[in-house]
Amino acid sequence: MYEGINASDGVGIGVAQVAIEPDLSFVPTVPEDAEAEKVRYADAVKKFVEMTNHQIAVMAASIGDEAAMIMGAHIEFAEDPGIKESVDAAIENGICAEQAVSDAYDMYYNMFAAMEDELFRERAADVADVKTGLLANLLGKEVIDLSHLPEHSVIVVHELTPSMTADIDKDNVAAIVTETGGRTSHSAIIARALEIPAVLSVPDATTLIKTGDLMIVEGTQGKVIVDPDRAQLEHYRVKAAALAAEKEALKAFRGQPTRTADGHEVLLVANIGNPDDANGAIENDAEGVGLFRSEFLFMDAKELPSEDEQFMAYQKVAIRMKGKPVIIRTLDVGGDKEIPYLDMQHEENPFMGFRAVRYCLANPEQFKVQLRALLRASAFGNIEIMIPLVTALDEIRKVKTLVAECKAELDARGAAYKKDIKVGTMIETPSASLIADLLAAECDFFSIGTNDLIGYTMCCDRGNDRVANLYQVYQPSVLRSLKRIIEEGNKAGIMVGMCGEVAADPLMVPVLLAFGLNEFSVASPSILRTRKTISQWTMDECQALADKVLALKTANEVKAALQAAAK
Ligand code: PEP
Ligand code: MG
């Protein structure tokens, strides 16, 4: 049995698919026998076409012919006679197949990438995929595609990046195991949103586990069992059934107001990453959306989404949520969220660098595309705009100036928008916490991002398991910061919400209620459990518990006190 970080609850039983990022580097050689080298190249093409045809058949059966047709382009590029001619000619001139393939496909890639027409530009990505596939075949490496997996797959991977998770085939994924990442890394957040059990930071998982191994992944405690015996399989099947029963029982909280045992009401809303996630929010009875991470729209695209594309995505959520509040966060790029086409420079310390609102304010024209899209979508529902990673008041002022400019531009176009749209801020940096009073005076609401706030307060990378003992909300410094932020927001009469993962921590819920939090924004699968937790406490009990933990001096003491009091 291996142990790791419990990143997403539940039990997954399935077969390992070890996804090793293939190293496609090679040292160019001069082939001794050009004819044999050409045959090697032809075999690589043949294998690629066979694999692609297989994928097309699977996709046609599962998603439909249209999606399958996209893959047809890969075959065309692999078998293209012009490319074949230039690769063969290069081989005859003493160049090895790997180099010849690289050169030929790079040339086509650059040609397509430079074209005006978007459709042609999209072909560049197809060309790059074909090049990767052919090189992998020539080098005898395997490329695992997470969007087409066999049923009951357990993905075992060094690191699950947000872009890998973007198009993961979730119906076929029983569980996820990684070698890196912490509970609040974005892969963990996505795993929870997809309700896929996940255990992260299992050392050497991709070497210890082999594709085809039968596995049990216990995401609640962070255990991974390879080649389980019958008794273990039986035990975990029973456990999975019990979890399913618990989930069923929580359905009794659907349609109920979110309030404490003595009637104090708060708002319980959902965190989402794309417009379709709104369905999960509605199914779980969310009272709105407290955080739409708009960067996932950008990460799913191959180039900057246009104003209309963004407008349609935001409008979709606004309409689906039928007038309930929908807080959409502007682009939070950087840190562990990379967007390749934005061409951001490499930074030694990206979490401290040119990211989020800093990037947006430095690219105002690009930022205004998003702001106009948000404003236009606000005509269709109750959209509010939220700014990430704020550290200084001028950032809010500059954003508001840009919002005002966008409003004037839309007025000139005669486009409708919500005139009094709210503009609020994430509080996720120690600086924002310390100037919460100044920010509260000029913002319409706060939403506390504990994932980053804990990291920046404790000087801990949120994805680094070696500092996980410090990265805890139970640290007295973090508790003091939370209390201060909520109090300043309450004093100014603005709504104070929380969209970091702490909002769904049943141990912390009573403390947050006592501090005066007005809104809890959690992943959809945690909504009903959070409503249940809130219903179990009276405000007097919450206050007594908060007073008690604020007097404690270490995270361990705080956590132990919260555990002892938990209902
Ligand atoms: C946070 O930092 O708590 C937050 C909600 O934002 P993200 O996790 O996307 O950084
Ligand atoms: Mg954050």
Side-chain angles (χ1 to χ4, degrees):
M1 179 167 64
Y2 306 115
E3 295 203 1
I5 290 177
N6 52 337
S8 179
D9 288 348
V11 174
I13 301 176
V15 176
Q17 295 290 330
V18 182
I20 297 175
E21 282 276 313
D23 173 10
L24 297 181
S25 60
F26 58 90
V27 180
T29 52
V30 178
E32 282 173 16
D33 178 349
E35 284 313 307
E37 192 70 355
K38 284 202 279 191
V39 171
R40 214 162 69 77
Y41 158 60
D43 286 346
V45 173
K46 189 164 161 244
K47 186 172 170 201
F48 178 85
V49 172
E50 280 168 8
M51 276 168 29
T52 312
N53 272 326
H54 172 72
Q55 281 176 348
I56 290 176
V58 174
M59 281 171 85
S62 57
I63 336 180
D65 290 339
E66 207 182 322
M69 261 167 56
I70 299 172
M71 299 293 288
H74 285 59
I75 296 190
E76 279 171 36
F77 282 123
E79 292 184 324
D80 183 274
I83 298 182
K84 180 174 171 3
E85 212 173 292
S86 58
V87 173
D88 281 345
I91 292 175
E92 278 162 20
N93 282 327
I95 302 212
C96 66
E98 286 85 352
Q99 189 66 55
V101 162
S102 267
D103 294 346
Y105 282 90
D106 283 351
M107 194 194 82
Y108 273 82
Y109 178 90
N110 292 334
M111 190 178 86
F112 281 120
M115 285 187 177
E116 282 282 311
D117 187 311
E118 191 182 325
L119 270 180
F120 278 112
R121 276 206 313 275
E122 279 174 9
R123 307 306 290 265
D126 293 333
V127 173
D129 280 346
V130 176
K131 175 183 149 183
T132 306
L134 292 181
L135 278 181
N137 288 349
L138 284 167
L139 296 164
K141 305 271 168 85
E142 196 132 338
V143 186
I144 293 195
D145 179 357
L146 296 186
S147 57
H148 310 102
L149 290 165
E151 271 181 305
H152 308 294
S153 292
V154 175
I155 298 174
V156 182
V157 66
H158 173 67
E159 181 182 13
L160 196 69
T161 61
S163 58
M164 281 164 93
T165 33
D167 57 2
I168 206 164
D169 179 5
K170 81 164 188 155
D171 292 339
N172 289 341
V173 179
I176 297 170
V177 175
T178 71
E179 291 178 336
T180 61
R183 259 193 78 79
T184 52
S185 61
H186 284 93
S187 16
I189 290 171
I190 297 170
R192 283 197 287 279
L194 296 173
E195 297 192 55
I196 300 174
V199 177
L200 308 190
S201 283
V202 177
D204 302 322
T206 60
T207 6
L208 297 169
I209 300 167
K210 305 274 175 274
T211 291
D213 283 349
L214 181 62
M215 296 176 65
I216 297 173
V217 178
E218 207 285 84
T220 314
Q221 287 174 18
K223 291 185 185 151
V224 175
I225 301 172
V226 181
D227 280 335
D229 58 30
R230 269 168 176 255
Q232 286 172 317
L233 272 174
E234 192 44 34
H235 173 78
Y236 282 100
R237 283 203 181 113
V238 170
K239 198 160 180 179
L243 286 171
E246 192 188 326
K247 200 170 155 191
E248 201 48 40
L250 281 175
K251 288 190 180 156
F253 284 86
R254 267 210 205 128
Q256 301 293 324
T258 305
R259 61 175 168 227
T260 57
D262 55 342
H264 173 77
E265 281 203 21
V266 288
L267 207 59
L268 180 56
V269 291
N271 290 348
I272 64 171
N274 65 54
D276 291 333
D277 287 351
N279 299 339
I282 292 166
E283 269 164 37
N284 287 287
D285 202 26
E287 296 157 27
V289 168
L291 167 65
F292 176 171
R293 289 184 163 92
S294 72
E295 56 276 9
F296 287 108
L297 273 186
F298 290 69
M299 279 157 46
D300 285 350
K302 294 197 174 73
E303 60 181 4
L304 275 178
S306 66
E307 183 182 314
D308 280 347
E309 281 165 342
Q310 291 190 53
F311 160 69
M312 283 189 288
Y314 307 144
Q315 180 208 39
K316 200 166 164 184
V317 181
I319 292 175
R320 286 207 186 151
M321 296 313 292
K322 297 195 176 126
K324 292 178 178 152
V326 175
I327 298 182
I328 302 184
R329 181 172 73 184
T330 59
L331 182 63
D332 186 10
V333 63
D336 66 343
K337 287 177 279 200
E338 278 179 39
I339 301 182
Y341 57 82
L342 288 187
D343 238 359
M344 296 175 75
Q345 281 170 19
H346 170 78
E347 292 180 311
E348 283 306 315
N349 203 342
F351 276 92
M352 297 279 179
F354 186 59
R355 54 172 297 206
V357 70
R358 304 169 183 184
Y359 170 86
C360 288
L361 287 174
N363 293 281
E365 287 313 313
Q366 184 183 314
F367 189 25
K368 281 170 70 180
V369 171
Q370 179 168 43
L371 295 174
R372 280 194 301 269
L374 286 167
L375 284 165
R376 282 169 56 198
S378 71
F380 296 83
N382 191 5
I383 286 183
E384 303 177 16
I385 298 176
M386 178 155 74
I387 319 299
L389 208 85
V390 166
T391 48
L393 184 59
D394 342 21
E395 289 166 335
I396 297 291
R397 290 186 176 161
K398 284 181 190 154
V399 173
K400 285 180 146 185
T401 305
L402 291 178
V403 171
E405 281 175 25
C406 290
K407 284 182 177 176
E409 285 161 18
L410 293 180
D411 285 338
R413 274 197 225 166
Y417 61 88
K418 195 165 170 240
K419 302 270 182 239
D420 57 351
I421 191 165
K422 289 186 175 161
V423 178
T425 180
M426 298 270 313
I427 303 281
E428 52 182 343
T429 63
S431 173
S433 168
L434 289 166
I435 57 163
D437 52 334
L438 307 182
L439 293 170
E442 300 191 27
C443 288
D444 296 319
F445 62 90
F446 281 171
S447 185
I448 307 175
T450 47
N451 307 340
D452 278 316
L453 184 67
I454 299 172
Y456 290 124
T457 303
M458 296 304 300
C459 273
C460 287
D461 178 342
R462 60 197 260 190
N464 184 341
D465 55 306
R466 298 176 73 188
V467 290
N469 60 329
L470 286 170
Y471 182 101
Q472 289 197 60
V473 65
Y474 315 114
Q475 295 286 356
S477 54
V478 179
L479 291 181
R480 289 181 192 190
S481 184
L482 295 179
K483 180 167 184 283
R484 177 191 158 72
I485 298 163
I486 298 170
E487 276 175 4
E488 291 299 341
N490 285 346
K491 243 193 262 168
I494 60 170
M495 186 202 78
V496 185
M498 177 177 287
C499 58
E501 297 294 301
V502 169
D505 176 354
L507 295 183
M508 279 298 292
V509 162
V511 178
L512 298 172
L513 285 165
F515 286 172
L517 195 75
N518 310 122
E519 177 232 53
F520 292 70
S521 191
V522 303
S524 293
S526 301
I527 290 176
L528 296 174
R529 191 173 41 79
T530 305
R531 185 171 288 154
K532 179 178 174 187
T533 307
I534 291 171
S535 76
Q536 291 171 318
W537 292 84
T538 65
M539 287 306 280
D540 282 347
E541 288 170 336
C542 294
Q543 198 55 58
L545 184 61
D547 290 345
K548 181 171 179 180
V549 295
L550 281 172
L552 299 174
K553 294 176 184 160
T554 68
N556 286 347
E557 288 169 16
V558 169
K559 190 171 181 189
L562 293 176
Q563 277 169 336
K567 306 236 176 191

